[in-house]
Amino acid sequence: MKSDRLLSILLLLQTRGRVPAGELAARLEVSRRTVYRDVEALSAAGVPVYAERGRHGGIALLPGFRTDVTGMTADEARALFILAAEGAHTALGLDEALGSALRKVMAALPAPHRPAAELTGRRILVDPDRWMGGPRPSADLDELQSAVLTDLRLRIRYRHSGETRMRTYTVDPYGLVAKAGTWYLVADRRGTPQLFRADRVASATLTDAPVRRRAGVELAEVWRQLRRQVEDRPAGVRVTARIRRDRLDLAVRILGGALTGPPRDEPGDQPGWAVIELAYPVVRAVRQLLQFGDSLEVLGPPEARRVMAEAAAALTAVYAADPPP
């Protein structure tokens, strides 16, 4: 609706100051021409808004103009009280601030919307952690948060996956990202974007040097690029296995991203079994499937069957021997 769009423009200008017309158009998913028409409508309604042309131009409000916006809808009020990732506030030390902010929002809400907003917060909870993920290593986000908020370069001691020794890097942070309960530092290292798991950062020290980010590049854009690199990484080994159907739901939950497609039936296969396809970076990773015991059989490739056979034989030898005193 046009009224919602005008209100969005007004709120963006109040919080951001001067905003390029192209950015407003992208955020509101309309054309630049529509943005300029909306600016004219705001101006006609008495809002002191104006447009500046040129390289550093944009849409802005006259300095000092503020307005209290109280026309919040019922759905907007409910949305504020659904905490999509409550662990994120804890990790950043913002639990108390969040509670205080929500109390202030509740007090400012139109009276008819307050019961629905409160009920939504009590009835809907989003837990970002996966099932059976186990306790996560703790991450000290204080210094990392300081670096991304003060725009200073950061020197970190970092341990890569599968390594025991620490490496030292000087990086240019874009920001912090929480994905599925795990925090990541997104930063450029020597001008190349890179992900650093916060729980593998042994120490972080702010330098006196200002951050050197690539011009015009924001956190969301770098995150999308790095996420695509992870998701599109070619698998080193493709594995075919069959699994009993009564264990299939559990397998889908546990194997998650290793599955390359939905389970299927194979012609002539035994009843009660389904075939799954998986992708692993290295063949030794197929040992993950040992947890399903005789409910799962690796069908191929031959080197994957060999790894499973060797691992099973090693387990048999352990349990065939007498237990230690």
Side-chain angles (χ1 to χ4, degrees):
M1 294 175 60
K2 183 176 180 179
S3 58
D4 291 338
R5 196 169 65 241
L6 295 177
L7 180 58
S8 296
I9 292 176
L10 182 57
L11 291 172
L12 284 168
L13 296 180
Q14 284 191 173
T15 56
R16 293 279 307 280
R18 182 180 290 104
V19 182
E23 181 178 339
L24 284 174
R27 282 176 171 265
L28 301 173
E29 299 181 347
V30 296
S31 66
R32 287 172 179 254
R33 180 175 297 179
T34 298
V35 167
Y36 285 120
R37 283 201 299 263
D38 288 345
V39 169
E40 291 177 0
L42 286 170
S43 180
V47 177
V49 60
Y50 64 96
E52 286 187 352
R53 306 283 181 179
R55 180 179 179 184
H56 300 292
I59 312 297
L61 295 168
L62 286 179
F65 176 80
R66 302 290 297 177
T67 183
D68 292 327
V69 180
T70 58
M72 185 174 290
T73 68
D75 283 347
E76 289 168 344
R78 292 174 58 215
L80 287 175
F81 286 82
I82 297 177
L83 307 185
E86 60 177 11
H89 304 101
T90 303
L92 296 175
L94 296 176
D95 265 354
E96 290 187 9
L98 175 66
S100 175
L102 289 178
R103 286 191 294 271
K104 291 176 181 177
V105 171
M106 179 67 79
L109 283 177
H113 297 341
R114 292 175 192 168
E118 183 181 10
L119 184 62
T120 298
R122 290 164 46 205
R123 294 290 187 265
I124 298 177
L125 174 67
V126 180
D127 186 342
D129 293 333
R130 297 178 60 182
W131 288 109
M132 296 177 287
R136 296 184 181 276
S138 60
D140 186 356
L141 298 179
D142 289 346
E143 206 69 9
L144 299 181
Q145 189 177 179
S146 296
V148 302
L149 295 179
T150 56
D151 288 341
L152 293 175
R153 304 192 90 191
L154 187 65
R155 186 174 296 110
I156 61 174
R157 292 180 63 245
Y158 187 75
R159 180 186 61 80
H160 290 277
S161 176
E163 296 185 2
T164 55
R165 71 185 184 96
M166 295 289 175
R167 299 175 184 265
T168 302
Y169 300 123
T170 299
V171 298
D172 297 294
Y174 285 92
L176 294 168
V177 174
K179 181 171 178 60
T182 300
W183 282 94
Y184 294 91
L185 171 68
V186 178
D188 275 355
R189 177 173 169 261
R190 297 177 180 175
T192 301
Q194 193 167 338
L195 277 179
F196 299 92
R197 272 186 62 145
D199 54 36
R200 294 189 191 138
V201 177
S203 64
T205 306
L206 289 172
T207 70
D208 296 327
V211 71
R212 303 175 189 173
R213 300 190 187 102
R214 286 164 286 146
V217 179
E218 296 291 340
L219 170 63
E221 177 183 347
V222 182
W223 171 250
R224 284 194 296 269
Q225 176 186 351
L226 291 169
R227 190 179 64 187
R228 283 197 302 269
Q229 290 177 6
V230 173
E231 293 174 347
D232 298 342
R233 185 180 300 163
V237 181
R238 298 279 180 172
V239 174
T240 303
R242 65 173 191 153
I243 185 168
R244 294 187 187 277
R245 286 201 168 272
D246 58 2
R247 302 280 282 172
L248 187 56
D249 287 345
L250 178 64
V252 170
R253 290 201 303 269
I254 292 177
L255 300 177
L259 293 169
T260 61
R264 67 176 192 272
D265 292 319
E266 285 291 301
D269 200 8
Q270 296 180 16
W273 291 78
V275 175
I276 55 176
E277 302 282 348
L278 307 105
Y280 288 106
V282 294
V283 68
R284 289 175 60 84
V286 77
R287 291 180 298 179
Q288 176 194 27
L289 303 177
L290 285 170
Q291 63 188 298
F292 296 101
D294 61 0
S295 294
L296 182 146
E297 179 188 0
V298 171
L299 303 177
E303 56 268 29
R305 287 182 62 89
R306 185 161 54 250
V307 167
M308 293 290 284
E310 291 171 355
L315 280 173
T316 299
V318 167
Y319 289 106
D322 293 333

